[in-house]
Amino acid sequence: MLYAIIATDHPNSLPARRAARPAHLARLEALQAEGRLVLAGPHPAVAATDPGDAGFTGSLVVAEFEDLDAARAWADADPYIAAGVYQNVLVKPFIQVLPR
């Protein structure tokens, strides 16, 4: 089943986000290589492709996991958590309607 992982960043966590980004992306690329990643990306703090120093307010990942516990375990192991980027993370089932 698909799960949405919706994370909210701590205020002023941009330096930590930048430092942990390579490890964060490596995990997402592994999901993609396994054919389990639907989409992933950050929420910019301002309406811009590159928000610069305004940074980000969080992230969204939609991916396939065996069950809710597996999705939560994957989310809990994110380098952004260890680096203090994420303030909170919500994991919940997701049904993709479109595109098919």
Side-chain angles (χ1 to χ4, degrees):
M1 169 146 210
L2 294 178
Y3 291 87
I5 300 169
I6 307 157
T8 303
D9 287 10
H10 281 285
N12 305 311
S13 61
L14 185 59
R17 178 182 268 271
R18 286 179 174 152
R21 187 170 190 262
H24 172 78
L25 288 179
R27 295 179 80 238
L28 292 170
E29 289 165 352
L31 279 180
Q32 184 176 22
E34 295 168 4
R36 297 170 42 205
L37 182 66
V38 175
L39 64 88
H43 300 286
V46 295
T49 304
D50 180 0
D53 290 340
F56 301 91
T57 62
S59 301
L60 170 65
V61 174
V62 177
E64 184 178 341
F65 294 93
E66 183 177 319
D67 55 30
L68 182 57
D69 288 339
R72 284 185 177 145
W74 188 90
D76 288 345
D78 196 295
Y80 281 171
I81 290 178
V85 175
Y86 289 159
Q87 182 172 19
N88 64 358
V89 178
L90 174 64
V91 181
K92 56 187 181 176
F94 179 81
I95 298 173
Q96 182 177 354
V97 175
L98 294 172
R100 294 180 187 178

